[in-house]
Amino acid sequence: SRRRPAGRERVAKGGEGGRMFAAKKGGNQANNPSHLLPSELMDRCIGSQIWVILKGDKELVGTLKGFDLYVNMVLENVTEYEFAPEGCKTTELDTILLNGNNVALLVPGGKPD
C-alpha cells in the first residue's frame, strides 16, 4: 500500500449533506452562512423578490414561489425588462414558469433602484 506524506489527509467528496469541501477541525460549517449550497440559498429566497438575469437581453424581477434542481422557477408578480437599441421595454406578468437553461445570474432581494 502507498503511504501519504505526513500532514496530508484524504478528503472524501460528497460528505455530510453532499457538501464538496472538507470540514475544519472543531468547526461547525452548517451554521456558517457563507457555506450555503446554491439550492439552500434559493430555498431561503422562496416568498421574496429575486432578480433574474437571463442569457441574452432580458431580465426578470419577481417573487420566487418555487424551483427544482434544474433551476426551473415559478415566479409571481413578474416584471420583464427587455433591452434593445431603442430602449428598455417592460412587461408585467402574473405567474410564469421559467426554464433554468436560460438563467445566467440570480440576485436575491430584487433589482436595485
Side-chain angles (χ1 to χ4, degrees):
S1 96
R2 300 173 78 195
R3 294 187 144 197
R4 285 184 196 83
R8 296 206 176 187
E9 298 175 5
R10 178 179 290 183
V11 177
K13 290 185 178 180
E16 177 188 350
R19 290 181 177 84
M20 301 298 281
F21 49 84
K24 293 180 182 176
K25 292 182 181 178
N28 183 359
Q29 292 182 329
N31 295 329
N32 187 341
S34 66
H35 291 186
L36 287 176
L37 293 172
S39 60
E40 292 172 325
L41 178 61
M42 285 187 69
D43 194 47
R44 290 183 180 192
C45 293
I46 290 179
S48 61
Q49 272 214 333
I50 192 164
W51 176 20
V52 183
I53 300 174
L54 303 174
K55 297 175 185 175
D57 295 326
K58 290 187 181 181
E59 297 179 7
L60 303 168
V61 176
T63 302
L64 180 64
K65 300 307 282 184
F67 67 96
D68 64 13
L69 294 176
Y70 300 102
V71 194
N72 298 318
M73 291 177 273
V74 176
L75 299 170
E76 286 185 346
N77 303 319
V78 178
T79 303
E80 177 185 55
Y81 299 91
E82 188 170 2
F83 300 97
E86 304 83 40
C88 179
K89 175 186 169 190
T90 61
T91 306
E92 300 293 326
L93 306 165
D94 289 331
T95 302
I96 66 167
L97 172 60
L98 177 64
N99 186 322
N101 286 332
N102 299 317
V103 175
L105 181 70
L106 298 172
V107 182
K111 190 170 184 169
D113 293 331

